[in-house]
Amino acid sequence: MLGELIPTGGGDPIPLLKSKLLIGRRDECDITLRFPNVSSHHCELELIDGYWQIRDLNSSNGIKVNGTRCPQNWLLPGDEVSIAKHKFEVKYTAVGPAPTPMDAFDPAVSLMEKAGMAGRPNPEGGEDISMSLMEKAGLERRPPASKRPPSTKPAPPPAAAGPAKKKPESDESIALKWLESDD
């Protein structure tokens, strides 16, 4: 046995039996975690020069080492690793000199990549994670009408003759006017 993952909330220790382990929800994974918030192929553990390294495999809910989300990191004995929301203590005997910490100041790696949120397709077919949170929430300001591309919708038919009835404003139109105002 090369080490163990000890569930912090209680439960049986998970033995680390091979030097490279796939963790996920699927039965073909070396370590299967049958929880809906764990991706089918969530992350990978690899023993490199006597130390375990964890690497996220573009999972939906990510990994954390000692409470910090990361795309990959070294695991030292006693570290806490979170796979989705499931926490484990890493137990093993380290061999050799400690690995060099992951370089947090590598200019070739974007901040989004360091946070595990780089724009990349989701292998499980989910939504594209390159969209900003503001766009997802519908809070991104739209460009003024003069800068928008021309609409491909046909023009609405002319209104019937007679007095026009004014409809009450919807919450969305009130919010849009507030967002577009310069106040």
Side-chain angles (χ1 to χ4, degrees):
M1 183 168 65
L2 303 172
E4 292 180 307
L5 292 178
I6 312 293
T8 58
D12 296 331
I14 300 169
L16 305 177
L17 300 174
K18 300 186 325 188
S19 61
K20 193 169 191 176
L21 298 161
L22 177 61
I23 300 174
R25 193 177 63 240
R26 297 267 170 101
D27 288 332
E28 73 251 14
C29 294
D30 299 305
I31 297 173
T32 303
L33 300 175
R34 290 186 178 91
F35 300 104
N37 61 348
V38 173
S39 296
S40 54
H41 294 153
H42 198 97
C43 61
E44 181 178 75
L45 281 175
E46 186 173 8
L47 188 62
I48 301 171
D49 297 328
Y51 287 83
W52 284 100
Q53 185 180 78
I54 189 166
R55 184 170 59 96
D56 188 17
L57 298 176
N58 300 328
S59 66
S60 298
N61 293 309
I63 59 172
K64 291 181 181 178
V65 176
N66 297 323
T68 303
R69 187 171 176 145
C70 55
Q72 73 179 38
N73 209 339
W74 292 104
L75 298 175
L76 302 176
D79 279 353
E80 180 185 75
V81 63
S82 298
I83 300 169
K85 299 272 183 190
H86 309 282
K87 296 178 181 180
F88 303 89
E89 179 187 349
V90 181
K91 286 188 111 178
Y92 72 99
T93 303
V95 178
T100 305
M102 297 289 167
D103 190 359
F105 301 106
D106 183 356
V109 179
S110 74
L111 290 175
M112 294 296 283
E113 289 172 310
K114 289 176 186 174
M117 299 170 59
R120 58 187 181 265
N122 187 335
E124 294 178 356
E127 64 181 310
D128 182 350
I129 59 175
S130 65
M131 183 183 288
S132 77
L133 291 176
M134 294 294 283
E135 289 173 299
K136 286 181 182 181
L139 299 174
E140 187 98 346
R141 281 189 184 237
R142 297 181 70 193
S146 62
K147 294 184 180 180
R148 287 186 199 144
S151 174
T152 57
K153 293 181 184 178
K165 294 181 182 177
K166 187 172 181 176
K167 294 181 183 178
E169 289 188 85
S170 68
D171 290 342
E172 291 84 9
S173 63
I174 293 169
L176 185 59
K177 284 180 182 178
W178 180 78
L179 285 172
E180 291 176 342
S181 71
D182 291 331
D183 296 340

